[in-house]
Each structure stands twice: as C-alpha cells, then as structure tokens.
Amino acid sequence: MNNDRVRKILPWVSTPLILLVFFLAWEAFVRAFEVSPLVLPPPLAVLESLTEVVVDPETWEHAGVTAAETIGGFLIALAFGVAVGVLLGKVAWIELSLRPLIVASQVVPKVALIPLFVIWFGFGMTSKVIMSAMLAFFPIMLNVQLGVRSVDKGQREVMRSLNATRWQTFNHLELKSTMPYVFAGMEVGIVLAIIGAIVGEYLGGNEGLGYLVVRTLNELDAPALFATIMLLSVLGLVLYFAVNSLKRFVIPWHESVYGQHDVNG
Amino acid sequence: MNEIDGRSRMAADSARTVDKTAGARPAASPGPAKLELIGIGKEFRTKRAHTQALSGIDLTISDGEFVSIIGRSGCGKTTLLRMLAGLLSPSAGQILIEGRSLWDGTKADTSVVSQLGVVFQEANLFPWYSVAENIALPLRLRGDGKADRLARAAELAELVGLGGFESSYPRELSGGMRQRVAIARALSTRPKLLLMDEPFGALDALTRERMNLELQRIALATEATVVFITHDITEAVFLGDRVVHLTPRPGRIRQVKTVEFQRPRSIDVQTEAAFGAMERDLRHALDDDEKG
Ligand SMILES: Nc1ncnc2c1ncn2[C@@H]1O[C@H](COP(=O)(O)OP(=O)(O)OP(=O)(O)O)[C@@H](O)[C@H]1O
Ligand SMILES: [Mg+2]
C-alpha cells in the first residue's frame, strides 16, 4: 500500500528534479567551456526568450496552425487507417493482392514526397495536412488490421453459441477487442502526425512552428530557436497526452491501461 | 455455513431415496430423445496430416438425461461437443435435436441451437465486461431489460459462489472463479440443453464437489439435458445417468455405462460398493486405452 503511493508520487518528484539537474548541468557546461551563445545559449537566455515567445500572439497563431495541421492529418489518417485496416484484416484476397504495394509504400521515405505535395497542393496547410496524414496512416492501419485478426477464437465461439447476430458480434466483441489496437496505432500515429506537419513546414510555407524554427535559425537567434523547439515539444506532449487520456477513458479494462498501476500487484 | 446445511439436507434426502430403491433402480426413465447422434465422424485435414478425430459415434440422449463423457486427452471430446454446439460441422453422420437436424451441410440451423447453454474448456470471458455483464450477456443478446439482467446476474453470481464479485472484472478473478462466471453465463438463459466441456477442471476438490452438487440440483430443477465432459472418473459417475467412454485414435465409443443410482445423489453414494466398482471398471478401461 505504502509502495503503491510511492509509485504514484515518484514520477511527479523525479521529473522536476531531473529537469532541474539537467538545466544546472547545461548552465555549468556553458559557463565552464565558454560555449558561444550562438551554438548553445545558457538556459536563462532560453527562458527569457521563451517568455518573449510565449507572450507574442504571433507565436500562438503559428502554434495554432501546426496544431490544426497535425490534428487534421491525424483525423484523416485515423478514418482511413481504420477503414483500410478493417478491410484488409477482414478480406484476405484484398490484403494478399495489396500486400506488396503496402510493404513498398511503408519502406518509401515519405518525407521525401513533401516537395511533390508542395507542387501539387501549394505552400498552404493542405500539403502539411497530407504529409501528416500520410505518416500517421500506416501505424494506425497496420494495428487495426492486426486487431481485426486477433479477435479471440474462443470468444467468437461464445458469440456463435449464443446465436448472436453479425451486428451483436461486432458490437460486443469485434469492436471492443480491436479498440486496444486502434489506440496503439493512434499513440504512434499522433507522434508521427506532428512530425509530418513540422517537416512540411520546414520545407515550404510561412506558417506554423516549423516555419518559426526555420526563421529563428535564419536569424541566428539561438535562444528563440531553443524556445520554439520547446514549444513544439510541449505541443507534442499535449497531443499525445490527449490520445492517451482518451484511451484510458475508452478502454479502462485493457492491460495497457490498468497494468500501469498494478504491476507487481 | 448455509452451504453445509444445504449439503447435509440434500444428503439426507438422497440417502432416503437410495434406501427405498436399494441403490439399484435404473436411472431416470428414458423420455423422448432430446439428442440423437447418428454415425457421427469428424476428420481434420491440415497440410501436414489427416486426423480422424471421431468415427461412427452413435448415441441417443433422452430428455432430462445427464450424460457424462470421459476419455483420455485428445480422444475427441471437445470436437464432439463443438459439433453438438453448432460450431463445427461433422464430416459424417447426423445430429438431431428433438428430431430436427442441427447440421445442414456445413451450416448449423440456428433455430435449433437457440435453447443451448455451452460451457467451454476455457472460460472465454469478455475482459471489457464486468462479472455481472458477462453473466448476463446471453440475456442482453436476446433483448432482456437491464433490471432483469442485473437481478438474474446477481442470483447466478450467488449460485456459483461469486456473490459480491458482480462488479469485478475478469482480470481480477482467479482461473477457477472465471470458469464459474462462464458456468453462470451458460445457465443465465435457463437452457434446456447444457453442453459442458471440463467445466470444473480448474477448481479445487472442495469447490468442485460443491459445484457438482449445484449442477446436479440445477439440472434436475430446470429439467435440462446435460452433456458433461470430464477427465475425472468420480465426477463422471457421480453426475451421470450414463457414462460414455471414448477411446482415442480415432475417437469411438468404447462403452456406455448406466449408473444405477437415482438422482439427486448425495456425496455419500461415492462410498457405496456399486459406485466404487463402476469407478474401478472405468479406470481399468481408460488404462487399456493408453496401452492400445
Ligand atoms: N482444429 C483442428 N485441426 C486439426 N486437428 C484438430 C483440431 N481440433 C482438434 N484436432 C485433433 O482432434 C483430436 C481430438 O481433439 P479434441 O480437442 O477433441 O480432444 P479432447 O478429447 O477434447 O482433449 P482434451 O481432453 O485434452 O481437451 C486431437 O488429436 C486433435 O489433434
Ligand atoms: Mg478438450
């Protein structure tokens, strides 16, 4: 019981401590070796820059754009990923005939396609949303496909012995049993979606946190660059946390959720 | 404490019955046939091998009868049960439930299957549903209201010794408790035909004994026909009107023994000479299987 409480509190204590030590070490390193602030600004300068960046409404517009691209791309990926995953998981001959193409398209470094998307869809948000969707699609689709196939045979037989209709089997068994896989795909997918949006912004356009990173780089404003990267990390964290919370809410019964609390009883 | 009362009362009851009939009256008078197996065979074809799992199974089970099936591991018991449950089509022969054919080619006639309760060798619970929801799933599927379902689930949880666990989740239960949830689920619709595949295999001896008595009581109270698969000879003889002994490779009926004790039986019948003799015969026969 005592052990349980320690388990709960520990991360909340350890994380700030580790960060504090990290920043102190950073400061010490910069001072000791007299690193140029252009290469590695001291944490205090970054903090100062961060406060400037945070109060600047322009920053929030950029953050909003990146968030919108990421979420848009992610939702598209989710819709298509689930649909295609179910189709491939359920209909063997479609999966068989498409398998070489799917493997090939996974191996292709999709980031290399961004210039093409820029040509086709312009420098606006569309090309980034598509990049984002493209990256997030595969993990979701593959997980859903696996999930659809992994429905337990014994549980299926229970439904059959109860004379369940197709809809009942879907609703009480297939849907619920596939959910953990959908969320596993979503957790990977949301991280890739944000990467897609940022890389898209790096390569074209004049909006978004990715664009801000490139601009601060061009201005050789290292503290602002660091501050922007931090903002991006926070955005990533928030989005991941949102997906993770949704998972906890939707499938509290799954071991990936409850197991985090009672490992080792 | 209640349990012990119940048990001794039951013991007294059946002791009286046994006395009256001198322990040797034929089991339940054969009613109309509930289940007929005619020349049932099953062959599994895989890339590597053809397995003749069952061959030439003929068996007629009358309404309200309790039939135990025993046999060594791998002799085709589960296969037989899956065919009766409408889950696996026989490669030969016919299964009639109340005179209606269960299998039409490889398709099961679902209207024949609907009065069925099945307990599988594995519990096969749904981890996303609580104990009560798992127990009441069959009722939910057939459209019963929520209040009815909850009441019935609570009643059944109590029956299988899981009162107070209604809102627990399967992951919080032991293997034996899960199996008891599966039994409660199979009983929820008060099926007229119960198919049970080693339902008590995961239970300790005492719980098993208690569940045996409960099952006997339920089967008699609901006038259900039961096909009961087990490894345990004592359990087979104690519960069954008849004990069917399957031999392996291919699975065939080696013998069918009628148990000459009136049901309900008390635990005490197990100490009677006739009971012991039947157990011994079956044990020797099963031993032969291994040598063969
Ligand atoms: N789906 C299947 N495909 C191929 N062979 C199978 C299949 N199911 C069962 N068999 C074979 O049929 C035989 C009987 O299996 P079954 O599961 O009915 O045995 P059992 O009597 O229930 O054994 P146990 O007591 O261990 O549960 C075995 O030899 C098994 O290998
Ligand atoms: Mg078996």
Side-chain angles (χ1 to χ4, degrees), chain A residues 1 70 73 80 96 99 122 132 149 262:
Chain A
M1 221 170 73
T70 305
F80 279 89
L96 265 178
R99 188 182 291 166
S132 188
R149 291 217 179 125
D262 40 56

Side-chain angles (χ1 to χ4, degrees), chain A residues 153, chain B residues 42-46 49-54 70-82 88 121-122 197-198 229-231 246 248-249 251:
Chain A
K153 259 181 86 184
Chain B
K42 180 68 194 182
E43 187 186 15
F44 288 109
R45 290 161 188 271
T46 56
H50 289 197
T51 317
Q52 189 69 40
L54 289 168
I70 57 170
R72 306 198 74 87
S73 180
C75 72
K77 303 184 296 296
T78 298
T79 304
L80 183 63
L81 186 115
R82 278 158 46 86
L88 182 71
Q121 202 163 353
E122 291 86 32
D197 194 352
E198 298 182 32
I229 291 174
T230 178
H231 275 141
L246 284 186
R249 261 156 292 168

Side-chain angles (χ1 to χ4, degrees), chain A residues 176-193:
Chain A
K176 292 188 165 79
S177 136
T178 307
M179 247 346 153
Y181 293 86
V182 177
F183 276 104
M186 282 167 73
E187 283 180 336
V188 180
I190 192 70
V191 175
L192 289 177

Side-chain angles (χ1 to χ4, degrees), chain A residues 218-241:
Chain A
N218 290 339
E219 291 164 354
L220 291 180
D221 186 351
L225 176 59
F226 271 75
T228 316
I229 292 173
M230 281 184 181
L231 275 186
L232 268 174
S233 312
V234 170
L235 178 63
L237 270 177
V238 167
L239 289 176
Y240 178 83
F241 192 70

Side-chain angles (χ1 to χ4, degrees), chain A residues 151-165 168-169 171-174 176-178 180 252-255 258-259 262, chain B residues 82 85-88 103 110-114 116 118 120 122-129 137-138 140-143 169 171 185 189:
Chain A
V151 177
D152 185 69
K153 259 181 86 184
Q155 292 171 350
R156 248 187 217 295
E157 294 205 329
V158 170
M159 291 308 274
R160 273 178 67 196
S161 76
L162 291 173
N163 228 338
T165 62
Q168 286 175 328
T169 306
N171 187 29
H172 293 284
L173 175 58
E174 292 167 337
K176 292 188 165 79
S177 136
T178 307
W253 51 268
H254 191 251
E255 56 195 338
Y258 74 80
D262 40 56
Chain B
R82 278 158 46 86
L87 297 170
L88 182 71
W103 286 99
T110 48
S111 66
V112 172
V113 183
S114 64
L116 200 66
V118 185
F120 295 90
E122 291 86 32
N124 293 332
L125 301 182
F126 292 4
W128 43 88
Y129 288 147
L137 181 68
R140 193 163 170 193
L141 295 185
R142 74 174 189 196
Y169 280 81
R171 63 169 187 270
R185 176 176 63 191
T189 53

Side-chain angles (χ1 to χ4, degrees), chain A residues 76-237:
Chain A
I76 292 172
L78 183 59
F80 279 89
V82 170
V84 176
V86 170
L87 194 69
L88 294 187
K90 283 240 158 189
V91 192
W93 64 268
I94 297 186
E95 198 269 339
L96 265 178
S97 49
L98 290 185
R99 188 182 291 166
L101 286 179
I102 290 169
V103 172
S105 52
Q106 271 181 274
V107 177
V108 168
K110 283 165 279 295
V111 183
L113 299 176
I114 291 180
L116 269 183
F117 291 162
V118 171
I119 294 179
W120 293 339
F121 306 108
F123 285 95
M125 280 171 72
T126 316
S127 54
K128 284 92 181 179
V129 170
I130 290 175
M131 190 67 244
S132 188
M134 189 90 162
L135 286 188
F137 169 76
F138 282 97
I140 295 177
M141 185 271 279
L142 290 172
N143 269 290
V144 170
Q145 191 185 336
L146 182 66
V148 167
R149 291 217 179 125
S150 310
V151 177
D152 185 69
K153 259 181 86 184
Q155 292 171 350
R156 248 187 217 295
E157 294 205 329
V158 170
M159 291 308 274
R160 273 178 67 196
S161 76
L162 291 173
N163 228 338
T165 62
R166 273 200 123 159
W167 162 250
Q168 286 175 328
T169 306
F170 171 76
N171 187 29
H172 293 284
L173 175 58
E174 292 167 337
L175 179 68
K176 292 188 165 79
S177 136
T178 307
M179 247 346 153
Y181 293 86
V182 177
F183 276 104
M186 282 167 73
E187 283 180 336
V188 180
I190 192 70
V191 175
L192 289 177
I194 198 168
I195 291 177
I198 293 168
V199 175
E201 289 165 358
Y202 279 178
L203 295 187
N206 52 7
E207 293 175 301
L209 290 178
Y211 160 74
L212 219 52
V213 166
V214 175
R215 198 179 75 188
T216 48
L217 177 66
N218 290 339
E219 291 164 354
L220 291 180
D221 186 351
L225 176 59
F226 271 75
T228 316
I229 292 173
M230 281 184 181
L231 275 186
L232 268 174
S233 312
V234 170
L235 178 63
L237 270 177

